[in-house]
Amino acid sequence: MTKRTLVKITIPVFLIILVVAAVAAFRVRRSLQPTVEYFTSIVEQGSLEKIISATGSVQTVVTVPVGSQVSGQVQELFADFNSVVKRGQLLAKLDPRNLESAVANLKAQLSAAQARVRSAEAEIRTHAANLSSSKANLSGARVTRDNAKLQLDRAAELSQRGLQAKNDYDTAKANYDTAVARYEQVDAQSASTEAQIAQAKAGLQQVEADMERAQVNLEYANIFSPVDGIVISRDVDVGQTIAASMSAPTLFNIATDLSQMQVKASVDEADIGSISEDAKVTFTVDSYPNSIFEGKIAEIRLNPQTVQNVVTYSVILSIQNKELRLKPGMTASIKIMVAEREKALKVPNAALRYHLPGTPAPSFGATVDSKASSKAIAQRGSGVSLPQAPGQKWNPGDKLRFATFDKVQNHEGRVFVLGKDRKAVEKKVVLGISDGAMTEVISGDLKVDDEVIVGDGTQVDTQTQVQRGQPGQQQGQRRGF
């Protein structure tokens, strides 16, 4: 091989080595530069709802416990579970023998009392005659007393002047004292006669009252329904002994109307300010997982319940149950719609929480005034009224009701948008309602199909990386984030 040929072969090899070295240097230099891979989501437009979730139990509106006011053994039962009963219908009967004995005993006492009354009436007539005589004697005794007093005064005056003997004065003094004592004795006899008359009348009234009470207790052996309704529980059986000495034991529980029921929901104190009686309410029960039931807020009760430092308020929902599908005791999963938007510009909440590496996390922005918000107003006479049982005389229109509320309090926020150069650009926005996953954008430099950053490779652990997927993946493909 000649020297010239060797030079021709060496030049191309050298050029190849240079190119390879340049490419390697470029790759090494690029690998040394820090890069951030962003996880993004697409800004969407669509419906958005702010919903408050709660749980509660289905209850009858009015449940009347039917008890017994007297003790005894259950002799007969005329109603069972699910029995439809009318007001005044006989439900149960207790063994009346002890009560009948008490009535018979008091009847005998009444007869004896009546005999005593007849005797007392004779005594009353005698006392009346004695009273007349006593009154006459009283008048005579008064005259005698006054005359003796006059004689005593004269004797005293004459004795002081020395015109009468001391013996005559003493005689006048003794006559006066005797007249006073006689007057007081006759007066006491008159009072005693009147007391005996009053005592005889009181004894008669006492026996009559005892007799009436024993008769009422005998009637209590028959237990009647106080309302129209359905028996939802029966707590006694035939032969069971009921002791009503300290409190009235419950025999039946009667629901007045199962076609209209209520749900008692517990709402957290953080959410109670957003709820009004105008809110749309839906709920589900485990028995019918594919059915959605509707309700109306009838009451927002002001009585707080605190359990393990968690404060909740009772919200009563009125529901129609014409088909009797809902039964007392069912657990209801409730959704209360506070606000809704048909065409809202939406960003994921993760985008609002995101901050660039090395920068502080975002804080909640100031509240922005909005004409859409309204202040809470308490008023009377509006809303849904629950049915009342017989004897419940309050006026539902006098109850305090909450008609409006602060539906939305707009506030400021920020997001980072991935630009065309794949760099993060900060955008200021004004935010509205949120459903917990997405938030409404009311104003700001943001539009549909913008890519907002929800995370990056420097701020993600294994679990969230699995949830986020690959860089650039859209929110619509990974709703779990």
Side-chain angles (χ1 to χ4, degrees):
M1 180 180 295
T2 63
K3 186 175 181 181
R4 186 176 180 180
T5 303
L6 182 62
V7 170
K8 290 181 178 180
I9 295 174
T10 303
I11 292 175
V13 172
F14 179 74
L15 292 175
I16 293 173
I17 292 173
L18 288 177
V19 171
V20 171
V23 171
F26 176 77
R27 288 183 176 181
V28 170
R29 182 179 180 182
R30 183 176 180 181
S31 64
L32 293 176
Q33 293 178 348
T35 59
V36 178
E37 55 178 3
Y38 295 107
F39 305 97
T40 63
S41 179
I42 301 299
V43 176
E44 303 174 356
Q45 187 175 35
S47 61
L48 188 64
E49 299 175 347
K50 180 181 179 181
I51 293 176
I52 293 175
S53 298
T55 58
S57 60
V58 179
Q59 302 174 349
T60 56
V61 177
V62 178
T63 301
V64 180
V66 180
S68 174
Q69 299 188 46
V70 295
S71 301
Q73 189 179 59
V74 179
Q75 190 176 68
E76 295 175 297
L77 290 175
F78 301 95
D80 194 11
F81 292 91
N82 300 344
S83 293
V84 179
V85 296
K86 299 294 183 181
R87 185 176 184 181
Q89 179 178 332
L90 182 63
L91 301 179
K93 185 176 181 180
L94 304 183
D95 187 352
R97 288 177 293 181
N98 288 335
L99 299 173
E100 289 172 348
S101 256
V103 171
N105 184 30
L106 285 172
K107 282 183 179 179
Q109 294 182 21
L110 181 60
S111 298
Q114 289 172 346
R116 287 194 299 271
V117 168
R118 287 191 293 270
S119 176
E121 288 174 349
E123 292 179 1
I124 288 173
R125 289 190 291 270
T126 302
H127 290 164
N130 293 337
L131 181 60
S132 299
S133 176
S134 297
K135 288 182 178 179
N137 294 334
L138 183 63
S139 299
R142 184 185 300 111
V143 172
T144 302
R145 182 199 63 180
D146 295 341
N147 184 54
K149 181 67 170 61
L150 180 61
Q151 295 296 329
L152 177 61
D153 293 340
R154 289 178 180 176
E157 182 180 356
L158 293 174
S159 178
Q160 289 176 358
R161 293 180 181 180
L163 301 177
Q164 188 176 26
K166 183 68 168 63
N167 187 37
D168 293 337
Y169 172 78
D170 294 339
T171 301
K173 180 68 168 63
N175 291 337
Y176 173 72
D177 293 339
T178 302
V180 170
R182 176 61 180 167
Y183 175 78
E184 292 177 351
Q185 180 181 6
V186 172
D187 190 24
Q189 289 176 352
S190 300
S192 175
T193 302
E194 293 177 357
Q196 290 175 2
I197 295 173
Q199 184 177 2
K201 290 181 178 180
L204 178 60
Q205 291 177 353
Q206 180 65 42
V207 174
E208 288 177 345
D210 292 341
M211 179 63 189
E212 183 178 354
R213 182 167 55 252
Q215 192 65 43
V216 170
N217 288 338
L218 180 59
E219 293 175 0
Y220 283 152
N222 296 323
I223 298 169
F224 300 93
S225 174
V227 293
D228 297 340
I230 300 173
V231 177
I232 60 175
S233 71
R234 174 177 60 82
D235 300 328
V236 292
D237 287 303
V238 174
Q240 183 175 341
T241 300
I242 296 172
S245 57
M246 298 299 294
S247 61
T250 299
L251 280 63
F252 301 91
N253 281 296
I254 300 178
T256 56
D257 186 8
L258 292 182
S259 64
Q260 185 167 359
M261 303 185 73
Q262 68 180 19
V263 174
K264 184 178 181 181
S266 297
V267 178
D268 189 87
E269 63 174 329
D271 298 324
I272 196 67
S274 300
I275 296 176
S276 81
E277 295 181 358
D278 300 327
K280 180 181 178 182
V281 181
T282 59
F283 66 93
T284 59
V285 294
D286 293 340
S287 301
Y288 310 103
N290 298 323
S291 298
I292 298 178
F293 299 90
E294 295 184 356
K296 294 287 186 180
I297 295 180
E299 286 183 356
I300 301 175
R301 294 181 176 170
L302 302 179
N303 182 31
Q305 304 292 329
T306 304
V307 179
Q308 295 181 350
N309 295 328
V310 177
V311 180
T312 60
Y313 291 86
S314 295
V315 176
I316 307 301
L317 311 180
S318 176
I319 56 177
Q320 299 295 324
N321 189 33
K322 301 298 184 182
E323 299 178 354
L324 303 183
R325 299 176 68 192
L326 298 174
K327 298 172 178 58
M330 287 184 172
T331 301
S333 299
I334 305 162
K335 292 184 178 180
I336 304 174
M337 183 182 294
V338 174
E340 60 180 333
R341 301 288 187 268
E342 292 294 332
K343 296 181 179 180
L345 192 65
K346 304 184 296 184
V347 297
N349 289 354
L352 302 174
R353 296 190 297 266
Y354 173 76
H355 60 98
L356 289 176
T359 62
S363 59
F364 293 103
T367 301
V368 179
D369 292 335
S370 173
K371 295 181 180 180
S373 63
S374 58
K375 295 182 179 180
I377 301 176
Q379 62 182 13
R380 296 180 178 180
S382 61
V384 180
S385 296
L386 297 171
Q388 295 174 259
Q392 295 179 347
K393 300 299 184 180
W394 60 75
N395 183 7
D398 292 337
K399 290 190 175 183
L400 188 67
R401 301 185 183 276
F402 302 89
T404 59
F405 51 88
D406 289 333
K407 292 185 177 181
V408 180
Q409 288 191 349
N410 303 334
H411 57 282
E412 296 178 348
R414 73 175 185 186
V415 295
F416 290 92
V417 177
L418 196 62
K420 295 181 180 180
D421 56 356
R422 312 307 293 176
K423 292 184 178 180
V425 180
E426 181 179 351
K427 301 287 186 180
K428 298 290 185 179
V429 291
V430 176
L431 306 172
I433 67 173
S434 174
D435 63 0
M438 306 289 285
T439 298
E440 174 192 21
V441 177
I442 296 178
S443 62
D445 190 12
L446 203 64
K447 61 183 181 299
V448 178
D449 294 334
D450 280 349
E451 283 189 89
V452 290
I453 300 174
V454 297
D456 59 57
T458 65
Q459 302 176 354
V460 50
D461 55 23
T462 304
Q463 182 178 0
T464 55
Q465 189 170 12
V466 171
Q467 294 175 342
R468 290 174 177 173
Q470 299 299 322
Q473 192 172 14
Q474 296 183 6
Q475 177 73 14
Q477 299 172 341
R478 48 183 178 86
R479 294 291 184 183
F481 178 72

